[in-house]
Amino acid sequence: MDLFEYQAKELFRKFGMAVPDGKVASSPAAAEKVAAKIGGRVVVKAQVQVGGRGKAGGIKLADDPAGAKAVAEQILGMDIKGHKVRRVLVEQAGDIKSEFYASFLLDRTAKAYLGMMSAKGGVDIEEVAATDPEAIARVHVSPLTGLQPYHVRELLFGARIPKEAHAGAGELLRTMYLVFIQMDASLVEVNPMVLTGDGTVVALDAKVSLDENAGYRHPEFEKLSSEIPLQKQEKVAKEKGLNYVKLDGRIGIIGNGAGLTMSTLDVVAEAGGTPANFLDIGGGANAATMAAGIDLIFSDRKVKSLFVNIFGGITRCDEVARGILGALEQLPNLKAPIVVRLDGTNATEGRRILEEAAHPNITMAPTMLEAAAKAVALTKGRRA
């Protein structure tokens, strides 16, 4: 669960981290009131779960409450990379002397946590990593021993953070780690962390991703997620327990297992198609799960074909085949083609079921690459 900036900063405040004074607003009038309460110059920031807000015009300065109202009118309703702006964060504008980058995340390859810091903050860290990798200090932290003072020193000195910022930045690093651990986060990032003219170090931005699998021990997750709007299909998927991510293409994708589903997206792109979604039905999916997935995918009118790519392990391919046919019975008006590739447990039986059904919508393919090519070919010519 990716939090909005305002949610992440509310979390930071609870842990005692220094963040600018501010409050979220959902209307220009509310933004004006917040600016009046803060006083002085403010910054109005679009609240969307995507980077590049500044370049898109989603972050603007205002000298007074009337100005905050005016820029909020400009920002609210904007579309930033497909994300509509429904709220703005109005904050006290700071006197910025230096900008840094800091984060803690889960490094699955190293089986440890990874802390990173750079004196080059306020820009895309991916760009810094590509053009000047030496500018990023990295330390691995054992989950068993936790963050130690020497880790913090390695980050501060390795990133060449100015000495005058060491005390404040070190304190923020320690608190970020506490947030990361105690909130079961997969990412806690501050970019930029700023040194102000009066020598204070503040988290000017905030990005936090929480592991929803830990929701059972964090009742507050439910409130946080309720403030995050979902696309229609994503909302239905959540209710049905399906792992679904909406994309912007025309070919629906169903796979079992995140790795296979990701690979399916890749081969569709390789074949010249554009995936419309990512839907992982997981291991052990049955006919009902399959039918729910197909129904969900075709509820998106942009989808013109479906590629079902199943490698049966716990999942039985005969159950998947019955699920596909069951879904088609529930969708008698569906005209879109469905390309199916079955392999693994009971694949022979699954293919036999589909071949005997001889449903006009279904096309079989023996391999993943051939199936992707067929899905792309069948999609071409269908109206967008």
Side-chain angles (χ1 to χ4, degrees):
M1 173 169 46
D2 297 330
L3 301 186
F4 287 111
E5 179 191 357
Y6 79 89
Q7 293 177 309
K9 283 183 172 171
E10 285 172 4
L11 201 58
F12 284 180
R13 285 192 187 93
K14 288 179 183 174
F15 280 79
M17 193 184 297
V19 295
D21 187 17
K23 192 174 178 182
V24 72
S26 55
S27 71
E32 183 180 26
K33 284 184 181 176
V34 175
K37 188 174 180 181
I38 293 171
R41 201 175 196 210
V42 297
V43 58
V44 182
K45 307 168 82 175
Q47 294 301 284
V48 287
Q49 296 156 302
V50 66
R53 293 176 300 172
K55 291 179 182 176
I59 299 177
K60 294 180 184 292
L61 289 166
D63 292 327
D64 52 38
K69 181 182 180 183
V71 296
E73 283 175 346
Q74 297 169 20
I75 295 173
L76 287 166
M78 281 179 66
D79 186 297
I80 299 178
K81 297 181 179 178
H83 294 250
K84 188 175 182 180
V85 181
R86 293 182 171 85
R87 304 182 187 92
V88 291
L89 178 61
V90 184
E91 283 189 333
Q92 184 178 33
D95 172 20
I96 300 172
K97 188 174 181 181
S98 302
E99 297 183 324
F100 318 129
Y101 169 91
S103 67
F104 286 98
L105 61 143
L106 182 60
D107 185 342
R108 297 181 190 277
T109 304
K111 298 179 181 177
Y113 303 136
L114 175 64
M116 295 196 293
M117 190 162 206
S118 175
K120 292 188 172 183
V123 296
D124 290 340
I125 195 63
E126 292 82 3
E127 185 179 331
V128 176
T131 58
D132 189 8
E134 298 299 319
I136 302 174
R138 297 174 174 84
V139 294
H140 279 108
V141 179
S142 167
L144 299 177
T145 55
L147 187 73
Q148 300 297 315
Y150 69 86
H151 290 132
V152 176
R153 289 195 293 273
E154 282 185 43
L155 288 170
L156 295 172
F157 286 96
R160 302 187 188 92
I161 301 299
K163 195 170 182 181
E164 60 184 314
H166 276 201
E171 185 59 33
L172 253 64
L173 285 172
R174 286 185 282 273
T175 312
M176 285 173 65
Y177 185 78
L178 281 180
V179 174
F180 180 73
I181 295 299
Q182 293 188 14
M183 293 304 298
D184 285 304
S186 54
L187 171 70
V188 173
E189 181 184 83
V190 174
N191 186 26
M193 174 187 290
V194 301
L195 172 65
T196 64
D198 64 4
T200 305
V201 180
V202 176
L204 201 61
D205 199 358
K207 186 175 182 180
V208 173
S209 297
L210 302 175
D211 183 353
E212 290 182 89
N213 292 313
Y216 68 94
R217 56 188 176 199
H218 293 286
E220 66 272 32
F221 279 16
E222 188 172 341
K223 181 178 182 302
L224 290 167
S225 65
S226 70
E227 297 176 22
I228 299 172
L230 296 174
Q231 298 268 1
K232 176 187 169 187
Q233 285 82 15
E234 290 175 329
K235 189 174 181 181
V236 173
K238 193 170 184 180
E239 290 169 356
K240 294 184 176 180
L242 298 171
N243 296 312
Y244 174 89
V245 178
K246 189 178 185 315
L247 302 173
D248 202 33
R250 302 176 66 204
I251 302 176
I253 305 291
I254 291 181
N256 64 320
L260 179 63
T261 311
M262 287 294 290
S263 298
T264 308
L265 266 62
D266 288 343
V267 295
V268 166
E270 179 76 17
T274 52
N277 67 277
F278 170 103
L279 199 162
D280 170 16
I281 58 170
N286 55 26
T289 306
M290 200 66 213
I294 292 175
D295 186 30
L296 173 68
I297 282 182
F298 283 115
S299 68
D300 180 356
R301 292 190 173 187
K302 290 179 69 176
V303 175
K304 300 304 173 189
S305 69
L306 171 63
F307 177 9
V308 179
N309 188 16
I310 302 295
F311 187 88
I314 300 172
T315 301
R316 291 170 41 185
C317 291
D318 57 322
E319 285 279 348
V320 169
R322 293 189 183 96
I324 294 171
L325 295 175
L328 288 172
E329 284 180 8
Q330 296 169 27
L331 300 167
N333 297 321
L334 181 68
K335 304 297 181 189
I338 299 175
V339 180
V340 182
R341 175 255 180 174
L342 299 176
D343 204 349
T345 304
N346 289 4
T348 303
E349 175 66 5
R351 288 193 287 266
R352 184 191 65 74
I353 291 170
L354 293 179
E355 285 167 1
E356 289 183 0
H359 197 287
N361 292 48
I362 298 175
T363 299
M364 304 284 290
T367 69
M368 189 159 74
L369 294 176
E370 289 175 77
K374 282 189 177 181
V376 172
L378 291 168
T379 304
K380 287 179 180 175
R382 297 182 69 82
R383 287 192 302 173

